[in-house]
Amino acid sequence: MRYKSIFIMLAAFITLSFAALLFTSCSSADSSLSSYTVLSPTVNPGETLTGDDFIMVSEFASSSYTVTIDGDTDTDEPGFHSTTITVKSESGSEKSYAVTYTVRSPIYDSIRVEAGTESLTVEAFINKSVVSDDDDTVFSFANEEAVNEALSTVGTYKIAIYADKTLMYSSLIIEDTTPPAADPVTVYITSVYVTPTASDFVTNIVDIGEVTCEFAENYDFVTTEDISVTIILTDASGNTSEVVSLATCSVDSEAPVILGVHSITAVAGESIDYKDGVTVTDNSGENISVKVDVSRVDTSTAGTYEITYSATDSSGNTTYERASVIITDKEAVSSSVLTDAAKAVYVSLDISGKTKYEVAYAIYTWVNTNISYSEVGASELGFTEAAYDGLTELVGDSYTYMAVSEVLLGLAGIDTLEIERIGSDEEFYWLLVDVGDGWYHFDACRHYSGMNFECFMRTDAELEEYCAAYGIEYYYLFDESKYPTRATTSYYEVETEDTSSDVFTSEDGTSDDTSSDVLI
């Protein structure tokens, strides 16, 4: 009987059940043992089954067997069927078995197709091992449009197929085994505020579904170097691929420098210009403003308060500086009174027609020889008070020398920057000055007796040499990063062993090298 092919493959239960049975003759006259195996055959639709299809006789069997099919066999309907057989030996012994057989389907139980396949014909489902080329069965989709719509989405779909007029079913498995693809993108990074994501480094992503992007490792983009960046692409099916891109980084990681921060002294209730003398420089060349946090200052109540200066460049680099604000109950020296006192000294120097260098040296000499050293805690008084006391009382500590020098140099139009010692519990202050050829160190304060050093227009190297010579490395130690680059050309090309200037001479001609007038 010829089978008219049916489209959808029923589950082909190709289960070979090997039941090894030892058949033993029931007759006492036949004591020989013979063996055979009961089978579960699989046939194509329309093929004929015989009893011999259900057993396999061992080559060592001592007798032959005949097999009869007792039940019905239907090979027209694909699927799993059952019947009974009887096995009889030459001696007449026999035994009956319930057996199964499978009729193959003309269509596959399931097929797998890559997601994104443009179209699919019914021929993809036909089992050519079952349906011959001369079979005239007509196969067709029950809903061809639904089949083609399913091709774009991963999943398993039940597909109805007609074999002539018989409706059968198969499973269409849409799978994604193709990794995603993408083109690399070079990312330019210039600010610490801009943190790129992995997806920024790829474009034109191609895949059937959603794709996630992640970095292959943690990258530090705060640099000025190019970085090779590997991006891992992963689609919804777990397929992965890698794209190598480039990060071109020119991130400025250098913070601005705040200059001129100093302690401020004011009378209770008096307005304060917190930014007076404070400037900001940055390697970017930007015009950066300084911000001042004065939230902890109570200008109506005497006391010492802390303020914080901050400056941020366009790359997000921020620097902070702190200073003290001293609010007093007493009437403070006004800036005009200080200026008048400074002008009186400045006029007495008789520096008309002199160069800035010569004016600076005249100021250095006056401050160094006229002010006696004494620990007065001038920094706690504030700049104005300390400078005024130094000019009028001619006594003070390193802060006094620095403040008086700064006021007089300011009258001469000479730029100055205040420097504070670091790395020591002992406060010490001096200046950087620029008379037109770069920043040099200027310290009019008296030094140790017997260790005199004319700290006028000195380079960093000359300060270090002086400190090393006397084992006082801490003396001129400062945070170099807070200040502009200093000049390196020395004004002192020829060193001299003449130490006559080590002893200061007072106006009455007596030597002034006592411990009360030297810095300890």
Side-chain angles (χ1 to χ4, degrees), residues 35 65 75 92 101 125-126 198 349 380 415 428 437 453 511:
S35 61
Y65 302 89
T75 62
Y101 63 95
F125 291 85
I126 299 174
L349 297 179
E380 296 299 320
D415 293 333
F428 191 74
D437 53 359
F453 176 58
S511 66

Side-chain angles (χ1 to χ4, degrees), residues 216-230:
E217 59 183 273
N218 292 325
Y219 297 102
D220 182 7
F221 297 112
V222 183
T223 181
T224 56
E225 299 178 354
D226 288 349
I227 302 175
S228 178
V229 179
T230 299

Side-chain angles (χ1 to χ4, degrees), residues 251-267:
V251 177
D252 174 16
S253 59
E254 185 175 338
V257 177
I258 303 175
L259 304 172
V261 174
H262 55 79
S263 297
I264 299 172
T265 300
V267 176

Side-chain angles (χ1 to χ4, degrees), residues 58-59 186 202 265 273 444 447 486 490-491 504:
S58 170
E59 61 179 318
T186 298
V202 292
T265 300
D273 182 2
H447 290 71
R486 279 75 60 201
S490 174
Y491 278 99
F504 303 111

Side-chain angles (χ1 to χ4, degrees), residues 338-487:
L338 171 61
T339 301
D340 290 342
K343 285 182 177 179
V345 172
Y346 186 77
V347 171
S348 71
L349 297 179
D350 189 21
I351 53 179
S352 177
K354 292 185 178 180
T355 65
K356 280 190 175 182
Y357 176 89
E358 293 170 331
V359 171
Y361 188 69
I363 291 172
Y364 171 87
T365 303
W366 186 92
V367 175
N368 179 268
T369 57
N370 284 276
I371 299 178
S372 298
Y373 186 87
S374 178
E375 290 286 353
V376 296
S379 63
E380 296 299 320
L381 300 175
F383 182 85
T384 302
E385 191 80 24
Y388 182 77
D389 287 352
L391 287 165
T392 57
E393 299 178 15
L394 301 180
V395 65
D397 55 21
S398 66
Y399 191 85
T400 305
Y401 284 89
M402 179 202 72
V404 172
S405 298
E406 185 173 345
V407 171
L408 294 175
L409 290 166
L411 292 176
I414 297 174
D415 293 333
T416 62
L417 292 173
E418 297 178 6
I419 300 184
E420 181 177 358
R421 175 194 288 165
I422 63 172
S424 173
D425 293 335
E426 299 178 4
E427 290 185 347
F428 191 74
Y429 303 85
W430 70 98
L431 294 173
L432 284 178
V433 300
D434 185 356
V435 297
D437 53 359
W439 293 100
Y440 285 86
H441 294 274
F442 182 109
D443 175 23
C445 184
R446 297 186 178 188
H447 290 71
Y448 291 95
S449 180
M451 297 165 55
N452 192 50
F453 176 58
E454 187 177 65
C455 188
F456 172 74
M457 302 299 286
R458 293 289 188 172
T459 64
D460 287 3
E462 288 170 334
L463 295 190
E464 292 171 4
E465 183 179 359
Y466 167 71
C467 292
Y470 294 103
I472 50 172
E473 284 76 5
Y474 71 92
Y475 196 84
Y476 281 117
L477 186 63
F478 66 102
D479 186 348
E480 299 181 10
S481 67
K482 292 184 177 181
Y483 302 95
T485 303
R486 279 75 60 201

Side-chain angles (χ1 to χ4, degrees), residues 268 298-305 326-329:
D298 180 2
T299 57
S300 64
T301 305
T304 301
Y305 306 91
I326 304 169
I327 305 298
T328 69
D329 290 326

